[in-house]
Each structure stands twice: as C-alpha cells, then as structure tokens.
Amino acid sequence: PDTLSKLGKMTVEKEGNADAEYILSIRQIMLDINRTFPLHVMFSGKAGARGRSMLTHILAAYVRYNPKVGYCQGMSYIAAVLLMNMSEEDAFWCLASLFERSKFLVGLFDDSLWKVQQQAKIFQELLSHHLPKLAAHLESLHIFSLLYVTPWFMCLFTSLPCWDTVLSIWDLMLFEGITSFCRVGIA
C-alpha cells in the first residue's frame, strides 16, 4: 500500500490514544474543512463529501507525518488547491515538499509564525520604498502590514477573486519560492 494510506491507517489506529495536540489538530481540521472553498464543487454539498474527505485525510496524515509542524489554519487552502489539480497521494507529497523546503514554506506554519513576521517586515520595507504615500497612509490609519499579508501568505493568495490570478501566483511561487510573495503583494 502507498505511504499516504499507511499514514491514514496510523491516524485511525492511534486516534483512541492520541496525544492532546493531535486531537486538537484534528478538531481544528474538522472546523476548517467546511470553510475551505465552500462554493467549489469539489468541496460543497453532497457532491463535495468525497473532496472534503480527501482533504481531511491529507491534512490528518500530514499532522502524523510532521507532528513538529502539525496543522495550522491556512494549510487547508493550500492542500485543497493541490487536491484540485492532482491525486490525493500526490497532493499530500506536494504539501509535504512545500512545507519542508526552505525555498517554499518552511517556518511559515510553525508555532511562532516567525517567517510570516519576517515576510511582513520585508513587505513593509518594500511598500515604503516603492509606494511611500500608500505606506504612510496605511500607517496613519494604524493598518500594519502583518494584518493583511498574513492571510495572503498563509493561504498563498487563494482568497483573491480571480482564479487565473491565483494560479499565476502559484506558478510564480513554485518557480521562485517564497521570495515572490512580497512582489506579488506589492503588485
């Protein structure tokens, strides 16, 4: 059997005596699944039950695969986009690769969220340099970059209304890595 199935079975087998962190992660996953692309045919209504199940399986397996990172809000959107474009197993391994390679999302979802904070500071500096009037205006309103770049970065811009734009951003991110986030945010 494939590795994802083994992780899934391990998840089910250990659920009865799982540690508190794992149980909390699973509870959070269950809450987030229904909020992840609720209007997309793959995840909505009765027709979306299979998609929601696969998404839950991927995220629960990742919690077991990498308990140091576990689960964090935002991961479900990334896993869902991957699942929309590939098999469940491939989506799992792409998710794992994105979270484990320094070029991509390492540190973005850890407990301290240090990489999000780091990227927000870089974004703020770029905004101040390239669009100083906008940066000054936002600062005068006490709107700090961490407030609005966090959902962009942690959901990989999946909340944007134009899906073609989202997929173009993903292409850029997969090619250049996390360094593209700030440029996309400024654009």
Side-chain angles (χ1 to χ4, degrees), residues 5-24 26 60-61 63-67:
S5 294
K6 289 178 188 174
L7 283 168
K9 287 178 185 171
M10 184 172 76
T11 298
V12 172
E13 289 168 4
K14 290 190 176 184
E15 193 169 357
N17 59 357
D19 62 354
E21 282 187 46
Y22 178 74
I23 292 170
L24 290 174
I26 297 303
V63 170
R64 280 289 183 217
Y65 174 76
N66 191 347

Side-chain angles (χ1 to χ4, degrees), residues 124 127 131-144:
Q124 185 62 48
L127 185 66
L131 299 166
K133 288 182 183 177
L134 177 59
H137 179 67
L138 290 172
E139 191 173 319
S140 73
L141 297 172
H142 302 288
I143 300 173
F144 304 103

Side-chain angles (χ1 to χ4, degrees), residues 160-179:
L160 297 179
C162 178
W163 199 246
D164 289 340
T165 303
V166 171
L167 294 179
S168 294
I169 292 168
W170 273 58
D171 284 344
L172 182 64
M173 187 272 303
L174 291 171
F175 182 67
E176 294 185 2
I178 196 167
T179 59

